[in-house]
Amino acid sequence: MFSSIKAHAVKLALPSAGAVALAVSSLVSPTPASAIAGGWDLDWNANASAMVSIGTNDWCSGAVIGDPSIRHSSRVLTAWHCIEGYASQNIQVFSGGNTLGSGRLYRVASTQRLSYNGGNDADGVILNLTSDITDIQPFPWTKTEPKLNDQVTVDGYGLTDTQGNTRLKQANMTFINSTQLGTPNGDRICTGDSGGPVLDSRGYIFGIIRAGADLANCYVNSPLRPEYVSLYRTNMPPMS
């Protein structure tokens, strides 16, 4: 799930109860999306309870944010392009599973798009849910960026193969700058990973997955670096 294809690669029918019907259409489309090819599996119950999947006409990943010592939150951080053009009530957030669209369904009351410090809109948004997600450990966040070549991690629910299978995964990458990550192990981002968190060595979110390599097939090595939105460059207030 860590290679990359574009955002409209996965089309789906979103059922009201949360069971998912995935149909993989073209693996290329005009907007960036993102899954992790390589890396390793995460288990939502064991070590990833703040991860959520987000459904509109396409799938994305997201992270519940808040004070990790308070085991509930109604705020979800994801990429703006994942929900752009959709009314809040038509955005579905799923918490509690290891694949896209699994777990309990939550609804969105409102959205808050992030802006860059200079005033332009950023590809990041906070979803305010109608109720708290409980019995989880929310992700803290920071506006302090790692140092060059520091190891960082990315989490996402994206495609793991060309058959449309998805799985919650994590991979190691390196910090390059405020927009790009390095992939020393060849791990890549693919459809479904967009909106997932980029984490420093403490487990604090400092960025949001935006896109990966512009490839028709996520699972082909690419010299291109995954793109992300740095919280350092936005108006999101720091937790640390």
Side-chain angles (χ1 to χ4, degrees), residues 9 34 47 58 60 64-66 82 84 90 98 122 127 133 135 143 156 165 181 189-190 200 211 222 232 237:
S34 329
N47 54 14
D58 301 301
C60 281
V64 183
I65 57 173
C82 294
E84 184 176 5
N90 294 328
N98 292 328
L127 310 179
I133 299 176
D135 298 321
K143 296 190 78 167
N165 294 307
L181 303 172
I189 293 171
C190 193
D200 67 14
S222 168
Y232 172 77

Side-chain angles (χ1 to χ4, degrees), residues 127-220:
L127 310 179
N128 298 303
L129 306 181
T130 58
S131 61
D132 279 6
I133 299 176
T134 59
D135 298 321
I136 60 167
Q137 187 171 17
F139 285 107
W141 67 94
T142 182
K143 296 190 78 167
T144 301
E145 292 186 333
K147 297 178 181 177
L148 178 64
N149 294 325
D150 276 359
Q151 180 176 292
V152 301
T153 55
V154 290
D155 293 358
Y157 274 99
L159 291 175
T160 58
D161 56 43
T162 57
Q163 306 307 307
N165 294 307
T166 65
R167 195 161 64 248
L168 178 58
K169 299 186 74 175
Q170 183 176 83
N172 288 331
M173 297 192 178
T174 56
F175 178 77
I176 301 299
N177 56 42
S178 292
T179 61
Q180 292 183 318
L181 303 172
T183 56
N185 301 316
D187 298 334
R188 296 174 305 285
I189 293 171
C190 193
T191 295
D193 285 326
S194 281
V198 186
L199 307 165
D200 67 14
S201 60
R202 302 171 298 167
Y204 280 59
I205 298 176
F206 70 91
I208 307 164
I209 295 173
R210 181 178 183 274
D214 183 8
L215 295 175
N217 188 329
C218 295
Y219 314 100
V220 177

Side-chain angles (χ1 to χ4, degrees), residues 92-140:
Q92 298 185 339
V93 175
F94 295 90
S95 170
N98 292 328
T99 57
L100 285 172
S102 60
R104 179 180 173 184
L105 170 63
Y106 290 82
R107 295 293 184 178
V108 177
S110 62
T111 63
Q112 298 170 265
R113 186 172 184 180
L114 303 184
S115 296
Y116 289 116
N117 296 328
N120 296 324
D121 289 329
D123 190 16
V125 65
I126 295 173
L127 310 179
N128 298 303
L129 306 181
T130 58
S131 61
D132 279 6
I133 299 176
T134 59
D135 298 321
I136 60 167
Q137 187 171 17
F139 285 107

